[in-house]
Amino acid sequence: MDVNITHQLSGSLDELAFQLKKIPGSAILVRYIRSSYQNDPVRSAIELFLFLFFIRYLLAPTYSTQKQNYVQLSEEVSQQYAPFHLLPLIDEIDELVEDWTPEPLVGPQNEIEESENEKRPVIVGPTGPKCRLSNGRLVTNLASYNMFNFVANENLKEKAIQTLRTYGVGPCGPPNFYGTQDVHMKLEADIAALLGTPACIVYAQAFSTTSSVIPAFSKRGDIIVADRAVNYAIRKGMEISRSTVRWFEHNDLDDLERVLQKVVKEQAGKPLTRRFIITEGLFENVGDMVDLPRLVELKYRYKFRVILDETWSFGVLGRTGRGITEHLNVDVADIDMIIGSLAGPLCAGGGFCAGSDAVVEHQRITSAAYTFSAALPAMLATAASEAMAVLQTTPDMLIQLREHTRAMRAQLDPRSDWVYCTSAPENPVMLLVLKPEVVVSKRLGREDQERLLQDVVDETVANGVLITRLKSMPVSSDGKQKVVTWRQPPALKVSVTIGLSRKEIEKAGVTIRHAITKIFNKRKSWTS
């Protein structure tokens, strides 16, 4: 019985092979299958699976990829569109459009913002250490980042004008296509040489530099450990990256080590992820300085990478203005990525990220702000290069700025009964916040503090000195939990410049201190 079945099966196979040979090209197919099976049977199995999947895909029924409208419309259709049986009444659509109210792009202003906008001073003509307001008054300008008075440097102006006449206003194209010009390459080389890094990449905007560098390297599933007081650009970058964010208390490196230990313990035995520590050199919202040597020590101990934002320390700290690495004598090779701004102390525009060749080249194809934005205008690139050259050849400017900062600080911090300075002694941007005992004794809420500080700003402007308040974007949250992580205290912001003499700096400091005293003494009733 079994022998007969075997003979029948063999005969059927022979008949099938005979019929197959009648098909043109069948011999080539059979030879390929035999050779493939002999050399790599796994490949033959995969090819067979793909062939069967292709056949099934061809025979599968079609289906519509159009999703139904989220708005539930009535089933009525007009006689005109009756054959289609899909289009709702035009009148109903018009009614829905009329009833729809879009959400406002900007929230309503509060009382403080309305008052501030009404009294906002407007500068007429060029800015500088002394500028004229729209009401005709000449005031001392301590509200801009013109720290080295580069806006009045005639050599920089002439170089910028020459570049404008040669290259035009802007490149009108992204750097990766036709936007890169020789002045951009020179600027990148100048920054890399100044910092001592292998490479550098230049962006068109300072804010988008930070918010694009972070998501270019940190992705979903990666871990970021960040200071609670980091600026808004860093927070947006971390939000865009969708990474897991862990916070440590502001400038508390003992708490940072605790968080790092917790992260390492939690990740033990799990797939390897990228891990970053993100902080600032000089904190924008507080003004103090990070303990970089200790942070580098923790980086190596727990195997993290460091992204350092030197937006406010580059060009200000260090003997030659290289930033906090020079100021604290930290090897720049210990920092994986250094982010900086060319729009602050250098009075140019754009931003940069310096690091290894691999770090820089990776950004040229993955960083959104570099790939999808027009390149930095050539005029600003030249101005930044020339400003750095001036700092290198004139180190006395940095010394003078620090002396002016000390002179201003001496007039405000120790002599005022109401405010104290949270900025580092080397920081020319001085942040003055109300003393804790004043806030507690007078039962001042946040709005009360902001209103009082705005009154101080108005009083100071009335006395011929232009300053401003510390302002920020809305408070960021801890991912899905929507828990507020940190909120900056209300503060006055005073920016020191070498465009004024020491005597003028001291006089401006006295004016600010007297305005603070006058406003606080004038207020008779305090709200809780």
Side-chain angles (χ1 to χ4, degrees), residues 130 140 142 400 403-404 407-408 411 465 497-511:
K130 298 282 187 177
T140 299
L142 297 179
Q400 185 180 1
E403 291 176 350
H404 279 24
M408 176 64 77
Q411 296 297 325
V465 178
T497 174
I498 65 173
L500 300 171
S501 66
R502 182 184 178 90
K503 186 177 180 180
E504 290 174 318
I505 288 290
E506 292 176 344
K507 181 180 179 181
V510 172
T511 302

Side-chain angles (χ1 to χ4, degrees), residues 81-95:
Y81 301 109
F84 297 94
H85 301 290
L86 292 175
L87 299 177
L89 286 173
I90 295 180
D91 293 340
E92 184 178 1
I93 296 178
D94 292 339
E95 183 179 344

Side-chain angles (χ1 to χ4, degrees), residues 431-450:
L431 302 181
L432 305 173
V433 303
L434 297 180
K435 292 182 177 181
E437 56 268 26
V438 174
V439 175
V440 173
S441 63
K442 304 302 181 181
R443 295 180 296 175
L444 296 175
R446 186 176 182 88
E447 290 189 1
D448 296 324
Q449 297 178 52
E450 292 179 346

Side-chain angles (χ1 to χ4, degrees), residues 66-233:
Q66 299 295 329
K67 294 183 179 180
Q68 293 182 354
N69 199 325
Y70 289 103
V71 180
Q72 296 296 328
L73 302 174
S74 67
E75 297 181 357
E76 299 178 4
V77 290
S78 63
Q79 295 297 326
Q80 180 179 359
Y81 301 109
F84 297 94
H85 301 290
L86 292 175
L87 299 177
L89 286 173
I90 295 180
D91 293 340
E92 184 178 1
I93 296 178
D94 292 339
E95 183 179 344
L96 289 172
V97 171
E98 291 177 359
D99 293 340
W100 178 68
T101 303
E103 296 183 2
L105 297 177
V106 181
Q109 293 182 346
N110 56 35
E111 181 182 348
I112 299 176
E113 292 173 341
E114 290 179 355
S115 175
E116 181 183 359
N117 288 333
E118 292 177 358
K119 301 177 181 178
R120 187 185 305 276
V122 178
I123 296 176
V124 178
T127 185
K130 298 282 187 177
C131 56
R132 192 169 299 279
L133 302 182
S134 57
N135 59 9
R137 294 200 58 182
L138 185 67
V139 296
T140 299
N141 186 4
L142 297 179
S144 66
Y145 301 123
N146 183 29
M147 300 166 186
F148 299 105
N149 199 23
F150 282 143
V151 296
N153 189 302
E154 294 300 328
N155 183 51
L156 289 181
K157 290 182 180 179
E158 183 61 30
K159 291 291 182 65
I161 293 173
Q162 291 177 2
T163 305
L164 177 63
R165 290 172 176 169
T166 303
Y167 294 87
V169 176
C172 299
N176 273 346
F177 294 92
Y178 47 85
T180 299
Q181 298 168 309
D182 55 349
V183 290
H184 299 123
M185 301 175 67
K186 180 181 183 300
L187 177 58
E188 292 178 349
D190 290 343
I191 297 173
L194 176 61
L195 292 176
T197 58
C200 176
I201 182 173
V202 171
Y203 289 77
Q205 294 179 336
F207 183 92
S208 61
T209 301
T210 307
S211 59
S212 294
V213 169
I214 295 173
F217 293 93
S218 185
K219 309 294 183 181
R220 186 191 297 274
D222 296 332
I223 298 175
I224 294 176
V225 179
D227 191 297
R228 288 189 183 275
V230 291
N231 58 52
Y232 187 69

Side-chain angles (χ1 to χ4, degrees), residues 246 263-273 275:
R246 303 293 176 84
V263 170
V264 171
K265 183 177 179 181
E266 291 175 350
Q267 295 298 311
K270 295 183 179 180
L272 186 63
T273 60
R275 306 171 186 177

